Amino acid sequence: MTYQWDFAFLLHLGPLLLKGLENTAKLWVVALCCGLAIGMVMGIFRSSPSRALRLIGTVYVETIRNTPGLVQLIWVFYALPILTGMQSSPWFAASVSLSLYTGAYTAEIYRAGIASIELGQWEAARALGFGYVNQMRYVVLPQALIRMIPAFGNRAIELAKATTLASTIAFGELLYTAKTIAEDQLRPLETYTAVTLLFTAVLLPVSYAIVRLEKRLGKKGSLHRD
């Protein structure tokens, strides 16, 4: 039997998918911004001469990176209210969970970027009288951030795909909306095909921009070395 494709129902249900895509985009932006901020703090902790700060950063990074993102999401949604006595909404739980998840991975990007700065740069900053904080602020981070940009771009794409985890706690992002439509219309193939096309339409230009940026930064780096 040949399957009869029919996308006609999406003509009037398409706006629901677009609303789901909007919610996905909001979650993506919030989790990315918060994750980058958390990652910067933890990345600096991981690079700190202080053993206590390195321990804090290491415990955080290894704990998050070695547990599934779905488990973290479910724990935040179900366990946190028990501990705090405050019920969290699916939006809040997804935002917190994905921010922490992203923070752990970006922390390693920050740590690697900081470690890539030549020892001479640190010594020059120290010779100017800068302490560790000012060395990091004025000399190391500005140079390291440029080297981190391509890795941040790749992490952003991974985060966009990870937002689909929020469908498990009934947050109305794209995948959850698609699941609802597919069950109502009994057309899962067409619905999830539309989801695939929407994700591709959003992420393909981002991926292309990252590749172009990597090439541009690579050319600048080679010119500086020459």
Side-chain angles (χ1 to χ4, degrees), residues 36-113:
L36 288 173
I38 294 170
M40 182 172 67
V41 173
M42 291 300 163
I44 292 174
F45 278 14
R46 293 266 282 162
S47 306
S48 172
S50 168
R51 181 177 298 180
L53 292 181
R54 288 201 308 272
L55 178 61
I56 293 172
T58 299
V59 169
Y60 166 75
V61 169
E62 295 304 325
T63 299
I64 299 297
R65 292 180 66 192
N66 288 287
T67 53
L70 181 58
V71 172
Q72 297 166 21
L73 175 62
I74 292 175
W75 192 91
V76 171
F77 186 62
Y78 290 105
L80 200 59
I82 296 175
L83 297 176
T84 63
M86 299 175 59
Q87 180 62 47
S88 59
S89 66
W91 158 256
F92 178 79
S95 299
V96 170
S97 175
L98 289 175
S99 295
L100 294 173
Y101 179 80
T102 303
Y105 285 91
T106 56
E108 286 299 277
I109 297 174
Y110 280 107
R111 184 191 62 78

Side-chain angles (χ1 to χ4, degrees), residues 181-198:
I181 293 174
E183 292 174 350
D184 180 65
Q185 299 294 315
L186 301 179
R187 286 285 177 177
L189 291 181
E190 291 88 343
T191 305
Y192 291 118
T193 297
V195 170
T196 300
L197 293 175
L198 285 172

Side-chain angles (χ1 to χ4, degrees), residues 111-188:
R111 184 191 62 78
I114 291 170
S116 72
I117 301 302
E118 296 77 8
L119 181 60
Q121 296 291 323
W122 291 89
E123 292 175 344
R126 193 177 301 115
L128 292 174
F130 288 169
Y132 177 77
V133 173
N134 285 332
Q135 289 175 38
M136 190 68 69
R137 178 181 178 184
Y138 294 109
V139 178
V140 176
L141 275 181
Q143 297 180 72
L145 284 172
I146 296 176
R147 302 180 184 184
M148 301 175 201
I149 289 175
F152 285 149
N154 292 329
R155 177 47 48 189
I157 291 176
E158 291 300 318
L159 175 61
K161 292 182 284 187
T163 58
T164 56
L165 294 175
S167 64
T168 59
I169 57 172
F171 174 65
E173 47 74 61
L174 182 56
L175 184 61
Y176 181 79
T177 304
K179 179 182 177 182
T180 303
I181 293 174
E183 292 174 350
D184 180 65
Q185 299 294 315
L186 301 179
R187 286 285 177 177

